[in-house]
Amino acid sequence: MVGDSTVWVTVFTGGTAVLASWVTTLGNARAARVQAEVSIEGQRRDHVRSSRRNAYLDLMEQAHVIGELYWRVGDAYGQLADHAARLPRIEETRVQLRVAFDVTSTRFVGDKRKRGRDVGRAG
C-alpha cells in the first residue's frame, strides 16, 4: 500500500510541475507580446513627434524667408524715392516672393488627397 501512495504523489507532483510550466510559458509569451506592442507604439509615437517637429522647423524656416522678402519690399519703398528705380527692385522681390510661396505651398500643402491620408495616419 505504501507503494500506491508513492506513485500517486509522484504523478500528482509531476502533473503539477507540467501545469506550472505551461502556465509560466503562457505568462511569458503574453508578457513578451505586450512588451513588443508597447515598444512598437513608443517607436511610432517618437516617429510622429519627430516628423511633426521637422515639419514645424521647415515651416518656420520658410516663414522667415518670406518675412525677409517682405522686409525688402518695405525697404524698397522707404529707401528709393524715384519711382523708376523702385519698380525694378520691387519686381525682383515680387519674383523672389512668388518662388518662396511656390516652395512653401509645394512643401506644406501639396496634393490634398495625400495630405488627407497623412493626417489620418499621424493622428
Side-chain angles (χ1 to χ4, degrees):
M1 208 163 221
V2 174
D4 287 340
S5 63
T6 304
V7 169
W8 284 111
V9 168
T10 304
V11 168
F12 184 71
T13 303
T16 304
V18 168
L19 182 64
S21 173
W22 178 70
V23 169
T24 302
T25 301
L26 284 178
N28 287 342
R30 186 171 294 151
R33 184 174 42 251
V34 168
Q35 184 177 10
E37 289 170 357
V38 167
S39 176
I40 289 169
E41 180 64 21
Q43 289 175 354
R44 187 192 71 78
R45 285 185 183 176
D46 287 345
H47 175 71
V48 167
R49 188 178 303 123
S50 175
S51 296
R52 287 180 180 165
R53 184 181 313 117
N54 290 338
Y56 178 73
L57 290 174
D58 287 346
L59 179 63
M60 293 305 295
E61 179 183 353
Q62 282 303 116
H64 178 75
V65 167
I66 291 171
E68 186 67 32
L69 291 170
Y70 274 114
W71 276 104
R72 287 184 190 173
V73 170
D75 289 345
Y77 275 108
Q79 291 174 356
L80 301 173
D82 181 25
H83 180 70
R86 187 185 318 163
L87 190 58
R89 187 162 170 194
I90 291 175
E91 180 63 27
E92 175 187 335
T93 307
R94 187 196 65 79
V95 169
Q96 291 173 345
L97 272 169
R98 182 75 262 154
V99 169
F101 276 123
D102 288 344
V103 167
T104 301
S105 66
T106 301
R107 285 173 69 183
F108 300 107
V109 176
D111 185 9
K112 290 180 183 176
R113 292 170 297 190
K114 180 179 181 238
R115 185 179 64 219
R117 284 193 313 265
D118 291 345
V119 168
R121 287 185 193 151

